[in-house]
Each structure stands twice: as structure tokens, then as C-alpha cells.
Amino acid sequence: MKPGKVTLVSAGPGDLDLLTFRAAKAIAAADVLLIDDLVNSEIVSLAPRARAIRVGKRGGCRSTPQAFITRLMRRYAQQGRHVVRVKGGEALLFGRAGEEMSELRRAGVEVEVINGISSGFAAAAGLGVSLTHRDHCPGVIFVTAHLRDGTSPDWPALARTGMTLAIYMGASRLADIAAALSGVLPVQTPAAIVEWAGTTRERRVVATLDDIARLAGAAGIVSPAVILVGGAIGEASCDADVLQDAHELSRRA
């Protein structure tokens, strides 16, 4: 029997036109698709001969257990199938790819990774900012808002780096994050939150650390969303209607 393999495909932030050619080719060649919850459901149209299985995983929601997903990948690959694990955004960024690769390699299963566009970059593109603008910062830090044990990162230490912060999975903790960062950074430090970045559902609020949580709450911004903090975010060139919406929210709040 021909040995199977697993390909971890980065599906990008949502819209299918943000897939790479390599990702689209891998999906078309799949025997089995395991699709994450945040992946565009239309992606199955690119794999007409594959069996599609949805294995949703979202914070705060009922999710498919990680161990079950890994067993599915291993089982189908050992049956000689080409398994494509389709992950939202960039597979190697907050997607548990490390755990999956380790388990599959221990089982003797070949693993390939195809990179893609993370929602942090899509959020920056929507705002019209460079995350590493040389006038404002020496780099960017991608960080999750909650660690594996449920605790938070060391926000003051991150604030002291002078880097742009791209914070994932933090919409529900925005007020606490902003307060912690404000212990080090000026309260007028530019900040933004972008919901459904890189999709037709994208919404943005641009503000400062002292009012980002209030304005995001007034706008009804919820997960999935990316929070961006730092001087570089002050370069945002939002559309006129977005700026007007932010002004109106500020007035009401």
C-alpha cells in the first residue's frame, strides 16, 4: 500500500483569494480534508473528490478534542490517504501545529506544512499600517492573550520591549489587556482591534489604550479579532466611513 501523508495547509484569514497556489493545489489533491472552524466553508469546492470533515476548535466554544483530530489524521494517513488539515490563518502560529507534527512523526507519518497569511497581517493590511514601521518600532511580537494554563502573558514585560504587539484571542480580555499595558505604555498609545480580519465581514476600531476597550464594546466587536498596539498603529489610514463610525462611537460612549 502506498504510504499516506498529512499536509498542514494554512488557509489564510478567510477569503479564498488569500490562499496560496501551493495551498490550493494541496487541497485539490486531498483524499481527506479536516477543516477548522474559522476556515471559509467554500474551501470544500476546491476538493471535489475529498471527504470533508469539520473539526472546529474555537476558544470559549464547544470544540473537537485535539487528541481526536490527531487520531483521525494518523488513521487516514496510515490507510494510504493524503490528509489535508486545513487551518485558519498561518498553520504554524497558534494553530497547535507543533503538537500535531510531533504526534504524527512519532507514528511514522510524513508531514508537510504549507504556509499562509496570518490574521495579524490581514488586520494590518486592512488598517493600512506596517507592523514594523521604522519610525515607531524595531519589530513585532505575536502573542496569545492566554497561556495553556489559563494565565496571561507578562503584559508589562511585553510593553517594555517597544515592539508592536499583535495579540490573538484577546477580544474578551481587551479591557484587562489594555489596563495592564497602560501600566508601562502611555495611555495615548495607538491601539486597534480588527474583527474577522481579511474577510468581507471585517470591522475595525482604531483608538488608544485608554479607550479601545470602551469603543470596541460600543461597536460590538467580538471574537475572532486581533488586537494591535504600538506607535505604528497610529499610521492607520482607515476609510472615511470607518473614521466617522469611530467618532460616533466615541461621542456616544
Side-chain angles (χ1 to χ4, degrees):
M1 182 175 63
K2 180 182 177 181
K5 71 173 185 178
V6 172
T7 302
L8 304 182
V9 166
S10 306
D15 285 355
L16 294 187
D17 57 4
L18 293 179
L19 278 172
T20 65
F21 284 119
R22 188 178 176 193
K25 287 169 61 178
I27 291 168
D31 297 311
V32 179
L33 289 182
L34 300 183
I35 307 171
D36 268 357
D37 190 52
L38 293 179
V39 172
N40 188 327
S41 61
E42 295 177 2
I43 206 164
V44 296
S45 66
L46 303 178
R49 69 183 186 87
R51 177 181 181 184
I53 304 172
R54 302 191 182 280
V55 288
K57 294 187 72 63
R58 289 184 62 181
C61 301
R62 185 176 180 179
S63 299
T64 305
Q66 182 61 46
F68 177 74
I69 297 172
T70 303
R71 284 200 301 272
L72 279 181
M73 289 190 289
R74 183 176 66 242
R75 179 195 309 162
Y76 282 120
Q78 290 174 338
Q79 292 173 359
R81 312 283 187 86
H82 180 196
V83 181
V84 174
R85 170 86 160 99
V86 188
K87 294 173 173 286
E90 161 57 49
L92 300 182
L93 193 63
F94 306 125
R96 303 197 183 190
E99 301 166 43
E100 294 176 354
M101 289 189 289
S102 295
E103 290 292 329
L104 292 167
R105 286 168 179 162
R106 277 196 288 269
V109 175
E110 178 188 350
V111 184
E112 174 189 23
V113 179
I114 297 177
N115 299 114
I117 299 173
S118 174
S119 57
F121 292 111
L127 293 168
V129 301
S130 166
L131 295 177
T132 56
H133 195 303
R134 293 192 300 171
D135 291 344
H136 299 285
C137 63
V140 58
I141 294 175
F142 297 92
V143 60
T144 177
H146 51 88
L147 306 180
R148 187 168 188 172
D149 62 2
T151 61
S152 299
D154 188 339
W155 296 117
L158 289 168
R160 283 190 286 269
T161 65
M163 306 282 195
T164 300
L165 300 180
I167 304 167
Y168 290 64
M169 297 168 281
S172 64
R173 305 185 181 195
L174 181 54
D176 291 338
I177 293 169
L181 293 174
S182 296
V184 174
L185 298 173
V187 294
Q188 293 303 306
T189 299
I193 184 166
V194 183
E195 179 187 82
W196 287 105
T199 75
T200 57
R201 301 166 64 182
E202 180 173 311
R203 295 195 301 152
R204 310 181 291 266
V205 171
V206 182
T208 56
L209 272 180
D210 63 340
D211 61 8
I212 184 65
R214 178 168 52 92
L215 295 180
I221 299 292
V222 295
S223 178
V226 178
I227 303 161
L228 301 175
V229 178
I233 310 308
E235 300 285 341
S237 57
C238 293
D239 297 334
D241 60 333
V242 175
L243 291 173
Q244 179 59 39
D245 289 346
H247 176 75
E248 180 64 17
L249 286 170
S250 180
R251 186 185 66 79
R252 292 176 182 175

